[in-house]
Amino acid sequence: MYLCIFNYMDKEYISNWTSQLKKGVLPYIILKLLNNEAYYGYELIKEIKNVLNTGVTDGTLYPILNRMHKDGLLRFEWVEQGSGIPRKYYYLTDSGKDTLVSMSDVWSVLSRSIKQI
């Protein structure tokens, strides 16, 4: 019985850690995706789900996008659609591109350090 409780606790710990790790790298993933092309919100959610192989809600994504916009890393543009409502497309600013380079450098150092351990 004790072993079963330990395994459950271990799985729960790993699940929580994985969730926090993904949340922590989400801004980096957003910058990397937007470096290649512009996305509108729902499209970005779908692409992040594909990359992370897990669900990302609009309640998680939009506050991050708003904060990144406020910090000058992103800009947006409303684009009219043939039918339906306009879509807000997100783009990297020059500051966002510089931040992406810095984050990539940090990620590389961290990754190499972990591999060396």
Side-chain angles (χ1 to χ4, degrees):
M1 183 70 178
Y2 179 73
L3 183 58
C4 292
I5 293 171
F6 177 75
N7 286 338
Y8 171 75
M9 290 172 59
D10 187 46
K11 289 178 184 176
E12 185 178 359
Y13 183 85
I14 295 299
S15 176
N16 290 338
W17 176 76
T18 302
S19 176
Q20 291 301 312
L21 184 62
K22 288 178 180 178
K23 285 179 187 175
V25 298
L26 198 50
Y28 179 51
I29 291 168
I30 292 168
L31 291 176
K32 286 189 71 72
L33 288 171
L34 292 175
N35 192 47
N36 297 324
E37 63 184 279
Y39 286 90
Y40 63 93
Y42 179 70
E43 188 179 43
L44 192 56
I45 288 172
K46 287 190 330 186
E47 190 62 28
I48 291 169
K49 285 180 181 180
N50 289 337
V51 170
L52 292 180
N53 197 28
T54 190
V56 175
T57 66
D58 54 354
T60 299
L61 180 67
Y62 286 109
I64 294 170
L65 291 173
N66 289 334
R67 186 173 57 247
M68 294 172 85
H69 176 259
K70 184 179 133 193
D71 291 342
L73 305 178
L74 304 179
R75 66 178 180 82
F76 62 83
E77 179 179 311
W78 288 99
V79 177
E80 295 287 335
Q81 304 300 303
S83 62
I85 60 173
R87 292 181 176 159
K88 185 191 274 188
Y89 279 84
Y90 294 89
Y91 301 84
L92 288 187
T93 63
D94 288 340
S95 179
K97 291 175 184 179
D98 293 342
T99 299
L100 176 58
V101 170
S102 296
M103 290 174 101
S104 293
D105 290 344
V106 170
W107 186 263
S108 293
V109 169
L110 182 60
S111 179
R112 277 193 310 270
S113 298
I114 291 170
K115 286 178 183 180
Q116 287 179 355
I117 294 176

